[in-house]
Every structure is written in C-alpha cells, then in structure tokens.
Amino acid sequence: MLFGDSQAATTSTTALSQYSAMPDILRLQGKRDEATLSIPLAGRQQVQSASLKLALVSSAALVKRRSILNVRFNNATIGQIMFDPERPQLSSKVQIPPQLWRQGFNTLTFAASHHYASQCVDGGAPELWSEIDLQRSSLTVTSERSVQTARLQDLAGYFGPGIGAQRQVMLISAEQAAPGVVSHALPLVAQALALRSQYAPLKVQHQALSPQTSLPVLPATQQWTEKLTEQYYQSSWYLNQTAGQELHVLVGVKDTLAKYLDKPIQQKINGPFIGIEQTRPFTLEEGTRIGASPRLIVSGRTPEEVQQAARTLGIMDDALNPDRSIVVTGDTSGPALSAGNVLKPDNTYTFAQIGYNDVVFRGENKFQKAYELRLPADFYVPESASVKLELDFAYGAAVGPGSMMNIMVNDELVHGRPLSNPNGEAYRGYQLIVPARYLQGGKNTIDFEVTMRAPLTGQACDEVGGNHMLFQLQSSSAITLPEAGSVVTQPSLTLFKETAYPFAQTTDSHANGIYMTSHQMTGAGLTLAGKLAQTAGAVIPDLFLSYETAQTLSGNAFVLTTPEQLPADLATGYGASLSATKQWPYKMQNALHNRIHKLTGSANQEILQLSGTTSQQSTLGEMGVLSALQNPRTDSTGSLYIVAAQTPEILTQRVYDLVSLSLWGQMAGDFFSWQDAQQPLVAMQVAQQFELGEPDNRWLELRLWLSNNPWYWLLAVAALILLCTTVAVMLLRRRNQAVTEDW
C-alpha cells in the first residue's frame, strides 16, 4: 500500500515569540547588531509558501536611507527594511522563498545598521536602537507532507518539533485488551512518541474499541456483505474526519486486533511487531466514505511481546529502519533508565565528550555560548566541594579596550578576565576553581560571554573596523566534577519539572504508578507519561497505569482524581486538601495578602502573619491543582503527586495545559494551581519536606537535613559549649577541692 503523492496542505501562523527564549521585545542596539531565531520544520514537510510579518519600532534619531534592517533566512537576504525617523513605528511583510527551507532548524537573522549622522558615528550612542515586537510579529507557513511510501524511518517526521508536525496522537486499544497492554504497553508507546517530539508537548488521547460496534446504515441500494464488512473494519472508521490525515497508533495482542488488520499484516506478527501502513479506504458506489489514514501498529502474540515491541519503539533509531515493519528477535537493553546524557560525579569530561565543538567568535560584538550540563537529580555535595574547569582558549591581536570574557554558572558570575594584551594570548589548561554549590541536580549551564571591541586610534572620526578580531574556545577544555552523594530534599516541583525526579532516577530501577479514578482520564495519564519521558530525555521503563487506587501504592506515584473520588486519607491531614471540603493553608493566604500589600504600597495595613488552615465547601471550578507530598501509602519513602480537577473532562484539559512549554516551566514549590496554559494561579511550598536518596548512607542524609535546618547547628553548638563549660567547672571544683585538702 502506498501513500498518495502528498497530504492536504496546512497553513499555520505563529508569533515569533514562540521561537525566542528572550522577552517579547527583541532590541537591537549600537551601530551594528543582529539576532538569530531558529525556525524548525518537521521532517517530510514541503513548504509551498511562507511570509513574515514584522512590527518594528525605531529611534527617531536615525538617519533615513542609511539605517536599515537586513532580514536573512538561512544566510540569504530576503528583505531590507529602511528605518524612517518620521515613521518610528512601522510594519512590513517579507516573503520567504520556499526553496530556502530545509528540514530541521532554519535560521532567521535580523541584522540592523544604525546611523544618526553621515560621519563620525559613536557606535555606543544611546539613540542607536530599534525593536521588533515578537508578540505582534508572526510567521505564516503553508506546507504539506510529501511521503511516497510508508516506512518506519519516517516516524520521527510526524512528531518532530517543527512546523507541520503532529501535536496530538490517538492511541487505540481494544476494550478486551489484556491488562498488561493497557497498564504497561500504552505508557511505553506514549513515551516513545513524546521523545520523538523532543521538547514540543504532545497531547495523547485514548480510545477503546468495542467488539460489538454496530455498522452504519448504508444507502438503500446497497447491503452489508462479508467483504464490505471486512473493508469497513479495516479502515480508520474509529477516527473523526479532522484526524484522518494524522498518524494514529493501534496497540494490542494479535488475536485481539485481528478484526482490524488485513491478512498480510497478521501473518507478519510472529513476535514483538512494529509496523506502519496506510489504512484501507472504505468506498461505496457514491464514492469514498472513509479515507485512508497513516497508522502505526504495535503488537505481538502475547501481552509480554506487545510490551517488548513498545519498549523497542522507545529506544530504536528510526533512521536505521527503512522497512515498513520489523519483528524484534532480541533485546539486550537493561531495565534501568538510560543515563547516557547525565554526567557522573567524580569524573572529568571534555567539552567534546559532552557534545560541543570548537567555538569561534569573529568581529566586534558581544557573543555568548552556553554549555548545558545534566547532573543526577539527587546530586549532593558538601559545602567545601569544588568543580575544576580547565579551559583552552585564545584571542587574537589588536583587541581594543572594553574587551573581556565573563564566565557564569547558572546565572552566577564566577570569573571575569580582560582581553587586554595587544598581541593576543593563548591559554592551555587555564584553571578555574568554582564552588560546587553553584551546581544543582538536573540541568546546569555554563555561559561564556565574550565582548570584543575594536582598538582606538585617538583621532577624531577615525574608526578601526573590527573584522580582524578573533576569539576561540576549544572543545579540549574540560570540567572535573567532585565526588557526590545521592540524596535530595522532597517534595520539589522545581526539580520535578527539570528532571522528572523522582520518577526518573539513574541509580536504580523501580516501579512508578499513575493511578486514575476514572477510565476517562486515560488520555491525561498517557500525556503525563510522555511528558515525564521528554523531561528525563529517555524512556522510564517501569511506569504503569492503574485504575485502582490501592491501599499500597508504588514508592513514587501520581494520582489523577476528582475531589469526590479522592480517598479520604489522601484528602486531609496535610497543608492543602483537595477533597470536596477544601482546606487551604494560611501560609498561602499570607503570601497572596502580602503580594497585594506590596503592590498597593499601603502603610496602613500590617503584613499578615497567621498560622492554621481554612476549610470550605465548594468546587474547583475550571481550576486544576497539583499537590506534592510524602507518600503515605507506600512501604518505602517516596513522593505522591495528586492532580485534581472537578470532572475527568476538565482534568484532561488541565493536564494538556500543564505539559505546555510555558506552564510546565513555571512549576515551583509543592502546591501548584492553574486555569490555562499561560500563567499559574498559585505556586507555593506548603508541605512538610523530607529527604530522599541513598537508604544506606544515613550520615549523608543527616548532613543534608542539618544543612536545610541551620538552627539545629546553633543548638548543637550551644549544647556543646554548655557541655564543655559544665565539664570545665567540674574539673576546676575537683582541683580546688584537692588543693584545699592538701592545705
């Protein structure tokens, strides 16, 4: 079976702010300045037309016809916009030729040239600036997917983080599917597809097919026959029309799915099976009633084989599979989470080993290069530990005043060095000792900010161009990490959003449950499973779904529920309650009151400081709530995450909002509430914290506990002083008594 020459063309319009990590306003300053945005295009997408709409504001002091904004796409100039001081606010539309697009990331560069005079322009003058409103500026692209034959190597192209990719997927299983298929195989498939989306969120929906599905009514001129019935069930009859061109997934045991598969596919399923095909269209005399649709099949002869196929889908490289289907004959991968991108303590890594090449900066400008380091989420070192950087870098001759290199670790300035030698310098093994407390579990960034300025001649209107300047940071530079333990303070939504800890751990393998109080929440649970894999950067192998909130839960668990269905022992006794009778901590009310007090600047009201809780009988409305606390239903120490909403439908929508790029990145504390995908309502720390990590290293946990409770150090010192004083007094009394007796 073949795909058509192309799928239906789709048009998408997105604000440029979606492609920028900076604020909504892009400011270009100085005589010359430029900024680059990365525009992703999904695989197998062919651009038919594209246009760029820009909203600009420029300084009224700029000289017309000499001040220009140059717009480049993949280094080709596609537009030149002249700034006009008489019209400081303007809008412009630029066409992007389709032949310039390439799959993957495309560069969109804005290069500004500012002048306030015909000659003798001070490059640092404050009136040299222009701004691009990224929120009001937009990119419109019309594209279509062009695939000749369905192959597994095209799978990543459906879900890549680019224009034209799918942002939702339907997982389909049978109602009578084996428990292992729903509980273990479906989460593995959801994680595998989410990993192909990389950083882009993927909404996962679920549908269960009933074997008693009734056939639709045919026109009076036709009757259902065995062949027509088979053609109908082997089509994508279970999809709505809007999802007809999107890839969906059929998961289940071979015998259960036999009704929906044609004979050639059934014969190929003689083990763990992964295949992609185009479903058969359903055609009647008056025309096609149900069109063909791309479908991924994950199957096997037993539930264990289905799980093995799903696990293989999560770790396989699509580019190495040019076939339409594969049968897994062996799997030697271990059950533990892949830790290939996590650096291990007490080791030395070069920048090349981390995945970075040599960096070269040329010309007069401010340059920045960020190196991302991923450490174990439970990375913990004493205060005296340090990290050693050994840098290999060099800069060329004739670098002017104001040229310098600054190094920042997680936005903390740790070192600065002027580039002041007029003959240039080269360093090998330039050592820099950084306190390890600047590092944290999860993602860390080391930023190198290099500013190069042209030399001064001392003559009026005599300027030296900066094209000759050069700075190089070599990939042979290395970082040495100290020895560290595995212990962390919980609960922490900040650590959870960055590493998926404690569900994703590199030290051991353990079961993690997503418990749902309704089958309608399956899509929300699968979406959450996919987001956890995205955050961890690998499949979490022992993540399972369950519809029974058992008395004993897995060590770390998610519970998706409504207030009425939440078990009573999980609803009370904590800083915040999510039952039908809600309980809000005063600490949360204090923070809200004090925030208003600060904004209003009122001196008549004292800052509110109360303790206790308030209980009320009401609903959650359209709100979603995420609460993290120590798991009370486990035999081992672990964390429990409760996601609650008023109805299963609202909960599913709130989970879709939660996994969005904007909202997921704003999680903090242990109590998080939201109502849309933009801003949280409340983010607070209200639950009692505890330590989680190495069970056999009690000294390490004690040291972390004391560092989080510094008052106990003071009490220990005071007790030690008191003890020493008491001993000294007793010794002096005994000596005084002995001397008296000698008299």
Side-chain angles (χ1 to χ4, degrees), residues 119-131:
Q119 295 179 345
C120 300
V121 175
D122 180 8
E127 58 263 42
L128 297 180
W129 61 269
S130 61
E131 293 178 350

Side-chain angles (χ1 to χ4, degrees), residues 200-217:
L202 181 66
K203 299 178 181 178
V204 183
Q205 300 171 315
H206 176 257
Q207 182 178 348
L209 301 181
S210 172
Q212 286 80 31
T213 303
S214 58
L215 297 171
V217 178

Side-chain angles (χ1 to χ4, degrees), residues 177-178 181 251-258 261 269 298-304 306:
V181 172
V251 184
V253 179
K254 173 182 177 179
D255 294 340
T256 306
L257 301 181
L261 304 175
I269 305 178
V298 180
S299 184
R301 295 167 296 184
T302 64
E304 291 73 23
V306 179

Side-chain angles (χ1 to χ4, degrees), residues 423-463:
N423 298 317
E425 287 182 306
Y427 296 89
R428 295 295 180 269
Y430 183 87
Q431 288 195 7
L432 180 63
I433 304 300
V434 180
R437 64 176 180 271
Y438 286 111
L439 297 180
Q440 60 189 11
K443 294 182 180 179
N444 297 266
T445 56
I446 301 179
D447 288 294
F448 290 84
E449 294 186 356
V450 177
T451 302
M452 290 193 289
R453 294 286 180 254
L456 303 178
T457 64
Q459 301 295 324
C461 299
D462 190 5
E463 182 180 355

Side-chain angles (χ1 to χ4, degrees), residues 128-341:
L128 297 180
W129 61 269
S130 61
E131 293 178 350
I132 303 175
D133 190 333
L134 299 179
Q135 191 64 40
R136 293 171 51 214
S137 303
S138 60
L139 174 66
T140 301
V141 179
T142 300
S143 64
E144 63 181 10
R145 180 179 290 113
S146 180
V147 180
Q148 296 300 323
T149 305
R151 293 190 178 95
L152 289 175
Q153 65 181 186
D154 302 321
L155 185 59
Y158 283 94
F159 301 99
I163 297 172
Q166 286 188 211
R167 292 292 170 260
Q168 62 182 19
V169 63
M170 176 73 74
L171 302 190
I172 299 173
S173 61
E175 281 188 354
Q176 70 275 26
V181 172
V182 177
S183 62
H184 290 81
L186 286 181
L188 288 170
V189 173
Q191 294 181 73
L193 301 182
L195 287 174
R196 286 166 171 80
S197 293
Q198 299 179 31
Y199 60 85
L202 181 66
K203 299 178 181 178
V204 183
Q205 300 171 315
H206 176 257
Q207 182 178 348
L209 301 181
S210 172
Q212 286 80 31
T213 303
S214 58
L215 297 171
V217 178
L218 295 179
T221 57
Q222 284 191 281
Q223 298 291 330
W224 284 107
T225 62
E226 182 178 351
K227 183 178 180 180
L228 195 61
T229 302
E230 179 182 353
Q231 181 185 358
Y232 175 78
Y233 280 118
Q234 292 177 4
S235 69
S236 55
W237 56 272
Y238 38 76
L239 298 178
N240 56 47
Q241 295 181 356
T242 59
Q245 299 300 332
E246 294 184 345
L247 179 77
H248 63 280
V249 189
L250 201 58
V251 184
V253 179
K254 173 182 177 179
D255 294 340
T256 306
L257 301 181
K259 181 178 181 180
Y260 314 109
L261 304 175
D262 58 18
K263 300 299 182 184
I265 291 291
Q266 295 183 43
Q267 293 174 359
K268 293 181 180 179
I269 305 178
N270 54 9
F273 177 85
I274 303 174
I276 189 171
E277 66 168 357
Q278 188 85 338
T279 61
R280 298 173 59 178
F282 180 63
T283 305
L284 298 177
E285 292 178 352
E286 65 273 15
T288 301
R289 295 282 294 271
I290 302 174
S293 177
R295 177 169 68 182
L296 179 68
I297 302 170
V298 180
S299 184
R301 295 167 296 184
T302 64
E304 291 73 23
E305 289 187 352
V306 179
Q307 294 177 38
Q308 186 177 0
R311 185 166 53 252
T312 302
L313 183 67
I315 62 176
M316 77 179 192
D317 190 339
D318 296 341
L320 301 178
N321 292 282
D323 300 324
R324 295 176 55 193
S325 64
I326 61 173
V327 175
V328 182
T329 58
D331 183 7
T332 60
S333 61
L337 178 72
S338 173
N341 59 346

Side-chain angles (χ1 to χ4, degrees), residues 610-652:
L610 298 176
S611 61
T613 58
T614 294
S615 298
Q616 63 188 47
Q617 186 77 30
S618 61
T619 67
L620 292 177
E622 296 295 319
M623 181 173 58
V625 176
L626 170 59
S627 178
L629 49 111
Q630 186 170 358
N631 193 346
R633 285 193 178 187
T634 181
D635 297 332
S636 59
T637 304
S639 297
L640 175 65
Y641 294 78
I642 303 175
V643 180
Q646 193 60 38
T647 64
E649 294 78 15
I650 296 177
L651 184 141
T652 300

Side-chain angles (χ1 to χ4, degrees), residues 651-706:
L651 184 141
T652 300
Q653 185 57 50
R654 294 291 81 85
V655 170
Y656 289 164
D657 294 337
L658 181 65
V659 301
S660 65
L661 293 176
S662 58
L663 196 61
W664 187 269
Q666 298 182 71
M667 281 196 294
D670 56 41
F671 187 94
F672 190 77
S673 177
W674 70 101
Q675 199 163 319
D676 54 42
Q678 303 303 320
Q679 292 289 336
L681 299 175
V682 176
M684 294 291 296
Q685 188 85 39
V686 296
Q688 183 68 33
Q689 293 188 322
F690 63 98
E691 284 66 46
L692 185 64
E694 297 182 15
D696 298 328
N697 196 337
R698 298 302 179 187
W699 169 247
L700 187 65
E701 291 189 18
L702 175 63
R703 188 169 60 190
L704 176 62
W705 181 78
L706 290 175

